[in-house]
Amino acid sequence: MSGLRIILAASALAVMFATPSAAQAPKWIGTEGNWSSYTFEESGNIVCYMASVPTKTKGKYKKRGQIFALVTNRPSRKSKGVVSIVTGYSFKKDSEVKVKIAGKSFTLFTSGDRAWTPDAKTDKRMVSAMVKGSRMIVDGVSSKGTKTTDTYSLSGFTKARKAIDKACKM
């Protein structure tokens, strides 16, 4: 996927993160490998995040929206390294997403078109695996029953994470 596509799509994500009155275009920090880092302001507080698009997608779907893996820091909430996946479709009700990284498996809960880790402990374990791994495989099921598999490169993940930690002073 092209760097421009990551930048444009990440701009759209920043607007999704922010409340309507506080929406602001993100400030690009940099791109490392397949990961780009950004900051934006949300209700007067800095938010730092990194995003990547899959290097490979698989599934029998006709149309799918934008797909991302994200790691987000919100210092004002003492929230660091929150992992989420945006899939470009609404998930099947009460479904889970399975993620495999460097021989480790993680289960994320779903809501709408996003999957989240269940707690900060899982975020920390998942980020640690992402630092050590070379790829991440994400399996999900859409509300229409379509199974998808998205593969992300973790090239540049560690440097991008350090960039958002530095930008948010975490």
Side-chain angles (χ1 to χ4, degrees), residues 12-163:
L13 284 170
V15 174
M16 285 174 25
F17 278 134
T19 59
S21 62
Q24 153 191 105
K27 177 184 173 193
W28 177 71
I29 298 172
T31 298
E32 299 291 343
N34 290 314
W35 291 82
S36 291
S37 306
Y38 306 87
T39 63
F40 70 96
E41 199 171 294
E42 176 182 68
S43 302
N45 298 305
I46 190 169
V47 176
C48 305
Y49 71 99
M50 53 193 280
S52 185
V53 295
T55 54
K56 179 180 174 185
T57 60
K58 188 170 121 183
K60 295 183 179 182
Y61 50 86
K62 292 180 182 176
K63 184 179 177 185
R64 195 167 171 195
Q66 295 182 359
I67 313 163
F68 294 97
L70 302 158
V71 177
T72 306
N73 291 344
R74 283 188 166 84
S76 66
R77 297 183 190 174
K78 296 182 177 29
S79 173
K80 179 180 179 180
V82 176
V83 179
S84 62
I85 307 289
V86 178
T87 57
Y89 60 73
S90 292
F91 283 106
K92 181 177 179 180
K93 186 174 169 69
D94 299 322
S95 68
E96 296 178 328
V97 167
K98 301 295 181 185
V99 178
K100 293 177 193 146
I101 310 164
K104 297 187 184 213
S105 296
F106 301 90
T107 302
L108 284 62
F109 72 91
T110 62
S111 178
D113 70 344
R114 286 201 176 203
W116 304 88
T117 56
D119 52 45
K121 183 178 176 182
T122 305
D123 279 322
K124 190 172 182 176
R125 286 182 30 245
M126 196 165 165
V127 167
S128 177
M130 292 166 92
V131 166
K132 295 173 187 168
S134 61
R135 70 180 179 159
M136 175 172 73
I137 299 170
V138 179
D139 293 316
V141 179
S142 77
S143 59
K144 295 179 180 181
T146 304
K147 294 179 183 179
T148 61
T149 300
D150 301 319
T151 303
Y152 292 85
S153 169
L154 297 173
S155 171
F157 181 87
T158 301
K159 287 183 178 180
R161 183 182 60 90
K162 287 178 182 176

Side-chain angles (χ1 to χ4, degrees), residues 1-15:
M1 302 284 169
S2 75
L4 180 59
R5 181 172 172 205
I6 292 173
I7 291 170
L8 293 174
S11 297
L13 284 170
V15 174

